[in-house]
């Protein structure tokens, strides 16, 4: 389980940043922000490589005394940063990779959400956090609305929260009539 | 900074070098000795052997050697490593003592000197009692020694001296004091180094020999100690590989020690020392990864060994020191050539050191918060008798006590208290800031700008804690923009909050206001209650009152701050602050938007200023002014409300000067542009919004251009990208995001209300005075003045056109080169409403092709706009493209008098010049006259008068002229002979009388002139009649200077009978002519071949009959007599079966003859007959058919 997850826009401003020990949120913000130095450096080194061979996973960015910071960059230069407790030996490279892949899927879901405007900050308090190696795969409910209750129950539109769903239903009514 | 308890000892950090003492040198008074000493110690570069030298007197007392222990059985060590041990072996106990003695081999008093030397050696030996230290003797000699083996006395005496001093031969050296001193010294040094290595080798063996006596239960500490000593001696021996191996063993042994609260500090201290040595050696061996791995292992092992909870800050301090020391080692290695990378550089270690230093500060703060009444214990438990500890890492009040039980709890308590009280006096912030700035320097080097910013924030915060607010603000302000530009609002807010505290505590007005503005803005992530508090404070400050203190500030600092604020309030002056917003994100947003991208000068310029506040409560501003690039407009765009100071809070939602949070406020401005600005851009250079007023304090927010702050460009981009539908708002409200800044507009001239028409008859003809009639009619409501016309070739076309086009107003005279292509600003006068004027322009185009002509009419008109009288300059332009064509084509040809085409003319023989003028103009042309100007080489045969005067030519019609010319013999002229010019004077038929005639000059082609020997011309009537005599006379002219023999013959022809000389041979003298007369009698009618005349010149065989034919006619038209003709005709008709008609007409025609009337009658009758015949014939056909 990661202690902090961040999605950073192409322009390097945070789209989403959430940490589990909420009391020292600022520390994680700084940690994620400073890790962008390494991300930038890795991306610029990567730009020279061929497009096909490009690896999205950026590996360990840098270790600190207590945490390990991992990075991942999508093709559209959106960066994912994950902070993991150093003492957590259960998380190896493979687990981290799969967590990033899940996070990427969740992010894609957010982008697919018709109510989300690319580049806006993702405001859901809830989103993305259940990312861990052990958590069952499946949809992560991401939407621009702060989610009040758990996941939406709609099977067809798994990436929508209730608010989104309600709006969508309201919009669809005229077509029904 | 003086060394603290936590700094590593100097003797640990230095590079151990063999210690050699030099005795018997008087470096103060003896110049030779001084030189020797200098050669030893000066200029010790890396290529010299690693020895540290020291000059000591011969009778120096070296540290006493402890009596050798025979058994370790009852020995219990009191600690791991004595504090003095390393220093002892580095600086006190030499590996070698060298005795210098001045003695030459040929010394006369050899015996005495030898014994004195022996005594000296003995004294040294005495003071080194028990040590394995080597002794060597160096003889300083004045003479250069002879090569070994040659000086018999020398070898004898050397052996004797060795004997006397009890030295081996290897320990006796000779130092001749000559030119090559340094060379000798280096050789000596190398010899000393060998001795020293032997010494340390024996020392290692000695320590190792103790090992076997030790047992694991009681001598655990000794295992570490001995291992450390072996490693240290190896280092002194410069055997770094073995040293590293032994240190590693020692390190493992340290961690095998039984740790307890009482000895944990000692263990950590030793572990730290050994770790330092290992890392240092690893870097030295260029294996940095080993060093890093060792350090990580060290930290992992020691991290949890906190020891006493009451003194946990000591652990943090120790940790901090470990990281710092490693960072220093790393940095040193980099300076020696190691390359570090972004993710592995000393900066991380300094940063971690700073982190532990901060933790130390925190722990110290919580553990050392004793009340002021508690006094430092007396006697000082931290004092020892010697002033230093016996063993590294032990407590001063219980040195050498190994028991884990605390024998004296009271004493322990006092000791802990003393340490805590001492910790309180440590300048933690100073330590932290030093470490952070070290880290900053490193991260700057390794391209980590964000890490650098983060550390600078930490530094700033540390300065804040250290109450150095000026420095804190400087640092925070420096990094703030990085976070702002990247949009990390959470971090920015946190930094701003600290900065606001600093500025509050310093009572820095401008900074305080700036930070408040931003903390209230949309970039701030503060909660609403916090924002309310800040807004209230801001309003207080604007009303010249003190703000409430910021939360979580030091109470004492707040008190001083309040005093400072009170001083600020009482101070008069400089209460207006202008703050540029482009570098931050204030709580008021501004956008300026012109209603249109351009305005006509007679229409007022309108624009809106949109304002939006993001603060929690409504706020009132006092003044808004807009500045333009033309400052004259500034006065029209000011909103000001005279309000009392306290009105900032009253009636908050009323009036247009009040900004309600979240609502967009629109302010409309209007002004009339100056006529001088027509064609210029009006730009909003800045918008100033004043909060507060002059009586209190006033803050002017200054937006450059049409608004926008540090965050708005990104927001605009995001808004543009968004496809969200915005909910509907009431009519007078707009969505903030949908407003797009438009900060400039163009002023364009008023729309003209006149009509300009052009009347002309295209195309233009080359060189003619082409008439262009411009009609200007005013549709304005008032009189227009100063109407000016600019007309002519539109500028910007081919430069050649400009030279070949001329414009004039006067059509009565032809333009020449001096006329311009464009007539500018022709004053036309004034025009009343509806009035119309016409102006004629004449254009002369010298070349064909199309040209663009511009007609530009400008005028002035008085207009009232927004109750202001302005004079507008309007203009209207018309462009017309006119094609220019040649008016006519002139074809010229030379023909013979027989109208046969001539390629060349013959000298002195008349020929015809035919001109053919084909009109190409679509309009009728009048050829006024034509003129042939002959070249001097040509002469005319008859009059050269024009045959086409006043001929009117429609399109496609042509006018031809024919001139008979002759070219006198000129001899052979290359390229032909010039003929002359053909000049046509013409004009359009439609052109008015006074339009001048255009003369078009056509250069006639050159003609090739050839001489011929004989010219024949015939003299005969224009036609003949059948059976009537036809006299023909041939004139034969000899054109040469010779007598010509001519053979003439006439060939008979079917059509003629003739009389005359049929064949003759005659002679013609030069320049004379011969006549030949024939009488032809035509037999047949029609165009008939004359009997051909053949002439043969004997001298000129190429004078052929072909050539002859050119000059004389070959045929003639022979007419019939009318009666004969008709008879013939009727014969034809008779064959067509209608005899009775024919007879009738035959009768009729016989009676009348020879008259035109008759002839035409005949034709009519003939026609009648033909029709009749056809009619009858057809009847017959029918009849025949019926049968």
């Amino acid at each position: 389980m990661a202690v902090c997850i961040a999605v950073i826009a192409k322009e390097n401003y945070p789209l989403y940043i959430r940490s589990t020990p909420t009391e020292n949120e600022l520390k994680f913000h700084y940690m994620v922000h400073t890790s962008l130095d390494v991300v930038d450096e890795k991306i610029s080194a990567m730009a020279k490589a061929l497009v096909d061979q490009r690896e999205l996973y950026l590996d360990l960015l840098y270790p600190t005394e207590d945490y390990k910071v991992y990075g991942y960059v999508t093709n559209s230069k959106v960066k994912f940063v994950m902070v993991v407790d150093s003492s957590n030996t259960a998380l190896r490279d493979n687990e981290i990779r799969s967590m990033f892949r899940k996070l990427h899927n969740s992010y894609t879901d957010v982008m697919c959400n018709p109510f989300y405007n690319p580049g806006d900050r993702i405001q859901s308090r809830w989103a993305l956090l259940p990312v861990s190696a052990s958590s069952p795969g499946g949809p992560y409910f991401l939407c621009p609305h702060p989610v009040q209750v758990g996941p939406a129950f709609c099977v067809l539109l798994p990436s929508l929260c209730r608010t989104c769903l309600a709006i969508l239903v309201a919009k669809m009514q005229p077509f029904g009539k | 900074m003086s060394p603290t308890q936590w700094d590593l000892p100097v003797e640990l950090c230095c590079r151990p070098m063999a210690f050699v003492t030099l005795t018997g040198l008087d470096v103060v008074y003896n110049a030779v000795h001084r030189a020797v000493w200098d050669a030893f110690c000066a200029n010790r570069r890396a290529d010299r052997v690693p020895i540290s030298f020291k000059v000591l007197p011969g009778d120096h007392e070296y540290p006493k050697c402890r009596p050798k222990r025979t058994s370790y059985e009852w020995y219990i060590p009191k600690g791991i490593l004595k504090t003095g041990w390393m220093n002892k072996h580095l600086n006190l106990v030499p590996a070698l003592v060298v005795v210098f003695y001045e003695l030459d081999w040929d010394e006369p008093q050899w015996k005495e000197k030898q014994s004195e030397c022996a005594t000296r050696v003995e004294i040294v030996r005495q003071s080194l009692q028990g040590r394995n230290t080597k002794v060597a003797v160096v003889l300083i000699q004045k003479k250069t020694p002879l090569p070994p083996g040659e000086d018999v006395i020398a070898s004898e005496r050397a052996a004797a001296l060795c004997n006397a001093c009890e030295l081996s031969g290897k320990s006796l050296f000779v130092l001749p004091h000559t030119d090559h001193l340094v060379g000798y010294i280096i050789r000596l040094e190398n010899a000393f180094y060998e001795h020293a290595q032997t010494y340390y080798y024996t020392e290692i063996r000695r320590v190792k020999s103790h090992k076997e006596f030790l047992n694991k239960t009681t001598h655990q500490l000794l295992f570490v100690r001995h291992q450390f000593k072996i490693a240290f001696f190896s280092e002194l021996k410069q055997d770094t590989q073995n040293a590293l191996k032994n240190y590693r063993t020692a390190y493992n042994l340290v961690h095998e020690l039984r740790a307890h609260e009482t000895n944990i500090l000692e263990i950590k201290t030793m572990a730290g020392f050994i770790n330092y040595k290992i890392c240092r050696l690893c870097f030295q061996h260029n294996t940095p990864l080993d060093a890093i791995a060792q350090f990580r292992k060290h930290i992992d092992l020691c991290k949890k060994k906190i020891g006493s909870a009451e003194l946990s800050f000591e652990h943090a301090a120790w940790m901090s020191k470990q990281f710092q020391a490693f960072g220093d080692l790393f940095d040193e290695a980099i300076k020696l050539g190691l390359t570090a990378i972004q993710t592995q550089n000393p900066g991380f270690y300094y940063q971690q050191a700073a982190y532990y230093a901060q933790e130390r500060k925190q722990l110290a703060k919580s553990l050392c918060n004793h009340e002021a009444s508690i006094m430092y214990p007396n006697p000082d438990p931290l004092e020892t008798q010697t002033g230093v500890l016996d063993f590294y890492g032990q407590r001063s009040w219980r040195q050498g006590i190994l028991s884990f039980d605390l024998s004296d709890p009271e004493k322990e308590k006092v000791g802990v208290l003393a340490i805590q009280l001492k910790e309180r006096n440590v300048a933690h912030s100073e330590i932290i800031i030093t470490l952070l700035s070290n880290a900053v320097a490193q991260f700057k080097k390794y391209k980590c700008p964000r890490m650098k910013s983060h550390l600078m924030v930490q530094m700033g915060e540390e300065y804040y804690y250290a109450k150095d607010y000026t420095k804190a603000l400087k640092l925070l302000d420096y990094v703030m923009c990085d976070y702002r530009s990247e949009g990390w609002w959470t971090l920015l807010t946190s930094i701003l909050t600290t900065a606001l505290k600093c500025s509050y505590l310093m009572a820095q007005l401008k900074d305080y206001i700036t930070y408040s503005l931003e903390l209230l803005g949309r970039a701030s992530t503060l909660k609403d209650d916090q924002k309310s508090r800040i807004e209230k404070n801001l309003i207080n400050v604007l009303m010249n009152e003190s703000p409430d203190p910021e939360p979580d500030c030091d109470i004492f600092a707040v008190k001083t701050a309040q005093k400072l604020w009170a001083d600020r309030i009482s101070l008069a002056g400089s209460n207006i602050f202008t703050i540029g917003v482009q570098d931050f994100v204030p709580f008021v947003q501004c956008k300026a938007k012109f209603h249109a991208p351009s305005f006509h000068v007679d229409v007022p310029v309108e624009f809106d200023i949109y304002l939006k506040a993001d603060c929690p409560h409504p706020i009132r501003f006092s003044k808004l002014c807009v500045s333009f690039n033309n400052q004259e407009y500034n006065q029209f765009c000011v909103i000001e409300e005279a309000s009392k100071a306290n009105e900032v809070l009253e009636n908050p939602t009323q009036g247009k000067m009040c900004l309600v949070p979240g609502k967009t406020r629109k302010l409309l401005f209007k002004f009339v542009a100056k006529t001088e600005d027509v064609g210029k851009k009006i730009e909003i250079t800045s918008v100033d919004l004043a909060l507060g007023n002059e009586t209190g304090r006033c803050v002017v927010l200054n937006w450059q251009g049409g608004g926008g702050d540090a965050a708005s460009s990104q927001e605009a981009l995001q808004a543009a990208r968004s496809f969200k539908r915005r909910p509907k708002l009431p009519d007078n409200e707009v969505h903030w995001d949908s407003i797009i800044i438009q900060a400039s507009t163009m002023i364009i001239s008023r729309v003209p209300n006149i009509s300009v028409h052009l009347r002309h008859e295209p195309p233009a003809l080359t060189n003619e005075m082409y008439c262009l009639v411009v009609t200007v009619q005013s549709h304005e409501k008032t009189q227009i003045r100063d109407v000016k016309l600019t007309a002519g070739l539109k500028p910007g076309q081919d430069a050649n056109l400009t030279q070949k086009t001329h414009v004039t107003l006067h059509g009565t005279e032809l333009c020449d080169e001096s006329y311009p292509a464009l007539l500018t600003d022709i004053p036309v006068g004034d025009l009343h409403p509806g009035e119309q004027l016409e102006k004629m322009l004449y254009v002369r185009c010298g070349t064909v092709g199309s040209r663009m002509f511009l007609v530009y009419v400008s005028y002035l008109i008085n207009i009232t706009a927004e109750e202001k009288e302005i004079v507008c300059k309007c203009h209207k332009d018309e462009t017309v493209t006119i094609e220019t064509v040649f008016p006519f084509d002139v074809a010229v040809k030379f023909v013979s008098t027989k109208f046969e085409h001539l390629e060349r003319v013959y000298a002195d023989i008349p020929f015809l010049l035919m001109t053919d003028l084909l009109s190409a103009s679509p309009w009728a042309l009048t050829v006024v006259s034509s003129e042939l100007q002959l070249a001097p080489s040509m002469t005319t045969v008859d009059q050269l008068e024009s045959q086409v005067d006043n001929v009117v030519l429609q399109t496609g019609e042509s006018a031809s002229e024919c001139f008979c010319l002759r070219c006198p013999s000129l001899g052979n002229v290359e390229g032909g002979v010039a003929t002359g010019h053909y000049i046509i004077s013409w004009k359009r038929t439609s052109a008015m009388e006074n339009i001048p005639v255009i003369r078009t000059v056509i250069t006639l082609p050159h003609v090739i002139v050839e001489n011929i020997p004989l010219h024949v011309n015939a003299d005969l009537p224009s036609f003949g009649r059948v059976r009537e005599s036809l006299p023909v006379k041939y004139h034969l002219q000899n054109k040469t200077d010779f007598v010509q023999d001519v053979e003439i013959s006439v060939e008979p022809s079917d059509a003629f009978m003739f009389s005359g000389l049929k064949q003759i041979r005659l002679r013609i003298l030069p320049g004379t002519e011969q006549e030949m007369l024939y009488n032809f009698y035509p037999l047949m009618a029609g165009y008939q071949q004359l009997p051909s005349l053949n002439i043969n010149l004997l001298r000129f065989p190429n004078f052929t009959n072909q050539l002859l034919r050119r000059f004389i006619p070959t045929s003639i038209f022979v007419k019939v007599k009318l009666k004969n003709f008709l008879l013939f005709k009727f014969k034809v008709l008779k064959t067509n079966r209608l005899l009775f008609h024919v007879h009738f007409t035959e009768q009729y025609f016989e009676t009348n003859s020879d008259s035109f009337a008759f002839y035409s009658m005949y034709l009519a009758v003939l026609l009648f007959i033909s029709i009749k015949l056809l009619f009858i014939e057809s009847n017959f056909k029918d009849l025949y058919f019926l049968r």
Side-chain angles (χ1 to χ4, degrees), chain A residues 85-161:
Chain A
D85 207 318
S86 285
S87 59
N88 193 343
T89 47
L91 293 174
R92 272 161 310 171
D93 211 43
N94 260 343
E95 281 78 30
I96 299 286
R97 265 173 206 269
S98 84
M99 279 160 77
F100 269 127
R101 225 166 288 131
K102 281 179 187 171
L103 186 64
H104 197 168
N105 287 342
S106 306
Y107 177 72
T108 317
D109 285 346
V110 176
M111 294 300 285
C112 293
N113 184 334
F115 300 105
Y116 176 73
N117 188 26
D120 278 353
R121 283 162 210 241
I122 303 165
Q123 279 163 8
S124 172
R125 271 161 219 294
W126 204 82
L128 302 166
L129 258 194
V131 173
S132 82
S134 55
S135 78
Y140 297 96
F141 307 95
L142 294 156
C143 64
H145 303 105
V147 178
Q148 304 91 342
V149 276
F153 37 83
C154 180
V155 184
L156 292 173
L157 296 163
S159 67
L160 297 186
C161 75

Side-chain angles (χ1 to χ4, degrees), chain B residues 631-678:
Chain B
Q631 298 185 348
E632 284 178 58
Y633 301 128
N634 294 1
Q635 50 180 323
F636 304 117
C637 304
V638 177
I639 295 187
E640 198 165 1
E641 206 168 57
S643 61
K644 285 169 231 140
N646 57 356
E647 250 186 315
V648 179
L649 282 175
E650 282 168 18
N651 266 344
T653 52
Q654 300 285 307
K656 59 178 175 180
M657 312 291 279
C658 179
L659 299 175
V660 181
K663 285 260 165 64
T664 303
R665 164 86 57 213
K666 184 166 106 176
L667 301 162
L668 175 73
F669 292 93
K670 234 188 226 187
F671 63 89
V672 178
K674 300 247 181 271
T675 44
E676 301 94 89
D677 279 348
V678 172

Side-chain angles (χ1 to χ4, degrees), chain B residues 815-1052:
Chain B
C815 310
D816 54 27
E817 300 290 311
S818 65
Y819 282 76
L822 180 71
L823 290 172
T824 51
D825 291 338
I826 310 155
V828 182
D830 299 351
L831 274 181
H832 290 288
E835 200 182 352
Q836 178 175 339
L837 68 80
E838 234 179 42
K839 197 84 188 168
M840 285 212 221
L841 285 172
Y842 293 91
V843 182
R844 188 173 185 210
C845 305
T847 51
V848 294
S850 65
R851 290 168 170 77
M852 295 240 282
F853 288 93
L854 171 79
V855 175
Y856 173 98
V857 181
S858 69
Y859 63 94
L860 297 179
I861 186 164
N862 288 17
I863 288 290
T864 318
E866 289 283 295
E867 297 160 359
K868 258 180 83 180
E869 179 102 345
I870 52 169
V871 178
C872 289
K873 194 174 176 183
C874 304
H875 64 85
K876 178 150 187 167
D877 51 8
E878 284 284 320
T879 321
V880 66
T881 305
I882 298 173
E883 195 78 28
T884 305
V885 297
F886 282 123
F888 41 71
D889 294 325
V890 177
V892 178
K893 56 185 177 184
F894 297 97
V895 294
S896 67
T897 43
K898 285 175 70 187
F899 291 97
E900 280 173 358
H901 178 72
L902 281 182
E903 271 170 13
R904 53 197 65 192
V905 300
Y906 297 98
D908 225 11
I909 293 167
F911 63 92
L912 298 177
L913 171 76
M914 291 192 66
T915 62
D916 201 12
L917 195 80
L918 176 69
S919 166
S921 149
W923 308 96
L925 289 181
T926 302
V927 181
V928 177
S929 74
S930 68
E931 188 189 339
L932 185 68
Q933 282 183 344
L934 286 179
S937 54
M938 289 284 166
T939 54
T940 172
V941 176
D942 54 357
Q943 299 286 295
L944 278 184
E945 63 201 16
S946 170
Q947 295 143 351
V948 290
D949 280 0
N950 292 321
V951 167
V952 174
L953 289 179
Q954 302 296 333
T955 314
E957 288 182 340
S958 66
S960 300
E961 282 188 274
C962 183
F963 302 97
C964 190
L965 305 176
R966 188 164 46 192
C967 181
S969 174
L970 285 171
N972 211 357
V973 180
E974 191 71 33
V977 176
T979 317
H981 299 284
Y982 184 52
I983 299 156
I984 305 144
S985 304
W986 59 276
K987 62 196 281 189
R988 280 187 191 222
T989 312
S990 59
M992 277 177 289
E993 276 303 303
N994 54 2
I995 301 294
V997 166
I998 302 119
R999 274 160 62 90
T1000 303
V1001 177
I1002 286 149
T1003 306
L1004 298 170
H1006 285 210
V1007 67
I1008 299 166
V1009 180
E1010 212 169 73
N1011 290 318
I1012 51 163
L1014 183 78
H1015 179 237
V1016 181
N1017 64 332
D1019 209 355
L1020 77 168
S1022 54
F1023 63 92
R1025 274 205 183 88
V1026 179
R1027 292 177 201 156
E1028 273 184 16
S1029 170
L1030 178 75
V1032 175
K1033 197 187 268 176
Y1034 293 105
H1035 302 268
L1036 281 73
Q1037 281 177 294
N1038 184 355
K1039 296 278 183 189
T1040 59
D1041 296 336
F1042 318 103
V1043 178
Q1044 298 257 28
D1045 282 318
V1046 188
E1047 275 182 7
I1048 302 165
S1049 61
V1050 180
E1051 278 177 21

Side-chain angles (χ1 to χ4, degrees), chain A residues 10-46:
Chain A
K10 180 167 164 270
E11 296 85 359
N12 281 342
Y13 63 87
L15 289 174
Y16 175 88
I17 185 160
R18 200 66 63 206
S19 50
T20 28
T22 41
E23 70 274 7
N24 207 350
E25 215 173 324
L26 210 58
K27 182 173 90 180
F28 290 110
H29 278 243
Y30 274 120
M31 205 179 281
V32 170
H33 184 242
T34 49
S35 74
L36 292 179
D37 286 334
V38 189
V39 172
D40 275 0
E41 197 69 16
K42 287 204 175 191
I43 289 175
S44 70
M46 210 165 59

Side-chain angles (χ1 to χ4, degrees), chain B residues 27-204:
Chain B
V27 294
V28 184
Y29 297 109
N30 189 324
V32 175
H33 291 186
R34 178 83 217 169
V36 170
W37 168 238
D38 281 347
F40 271 116
C41 64
N43 210 2
R44 289 207 72 85
R45 282 184 314 231
D47 55 340
R48 304 273 292 259
V49 283
I51 303 178
S52 76
F53 290 104
K54 206 177 212 176
V55 174
L56 289 174
D59 52 357
H60 177 77
E61 286 283 321
Y62 296 98
K64 285 273 177 305
C65 189
R66 234 180 282 148
K68 236 182 186 164
R69 207 177 299 281
T70 46
S71 153
Y72 274 90
E73 221 165 307
W74 300 103
Y75 176 66
I76 294 171
K78 289 179 176 171
I80 301 175
L81 188 67
K82 285 231 175 109
T83 49
W85 188 83
M86 278 189 287
N87 189 41
K88 189 168 84 179
H89 286 278
L90 283 172
N91 298 318
L92 300 176
V93 178
L96 175 72
V97 179
V98 185
V99 178
F100 281 87
Y101 192 68
E102 281 190 49
L103 181 65
D104 277 279
W105 294 129
D106 52 358
E107 173 66 44
Q109 295 169 316
W110 172 257
K111 280 280 175 207
E112 287 83 356
K113 289 275 182 183
Q114 182 182 314
S115 64
E116 192 191 335
C117 182
T119 321
R120 287 195 180 190
V121 173
E122 191 49 38
I123 292 167
V124 169
R125 286 230 171 88
Q126 282 293 326
S127 62
L128 287 170
Q129 196 134 52
R131 300 252 172 225
N132 294 324
T133 306
K134 310 269 177 197
V135 178
V137 171
V138 176
L139 299 179
I140 302 175
Q141 295 188 336
K142 291 189 186 70
K143 285 177 191 151
T144 320
L146 295 166
E150 285 186 21
D151 198 341
V152 188
I153 307 169
S155 44
E156 260 178 31
R157 287 190 168 176
L161 188 64
C162 283
N163 244 339
C165 300
E166 296 171 42
L167 282 174
S168 79
K170 281 180 183 171
S171 302
L172 179 67
F173 304 96
V174 173
L175 175 64
H177 180 59
T178 52
D179 297 339
H180 311 288
L181 186 61
V182 178
Y184 283 114
I185 295 291
I186 287 174
R187 277 167 66 184
L188 268 183
E189 253 176 32
N190 290 335
F192 294 165
Y193 181 60
E194 267 175 44
H195 280 291
Q197 283 200 315
T198 329
Y199 166 74
Y200 289 121
Y201 176 70
T202 49
E203 284 302 294
I204 292 167

Side-chain angles (χ1 to χ4, degrees), chain B residues 746-795:
Chain B
M746 282 291 289
I747 299 301
I748 51 177
S749 58
R750 182 176 168 276
V751 182
N753 202 4
I754 56 167
S755 57
V756 177
H757 288 293
L758 297 178
R759 209 170 68 237
H760 59 118
E761 295 174 328
L765 306 176
T766 319
N767 281 332
E768 78 164 323
M769 297 295 281
Y770 185 67
C771 181
L772 202 63
V773 183
V774 181
T775 316
V776 180
Q777 188 174 15
S778 162
H779 305 296
E780 297 281 6
K781 301 257 186 325
T782 54
Q783 190 196 17
I784 62 175
R785 296 180 285 119
D786 213 3
V787 183
K788 279 179 185 165
L789 182 70
T790 296
L793 193 70
K794 189 173 183 177

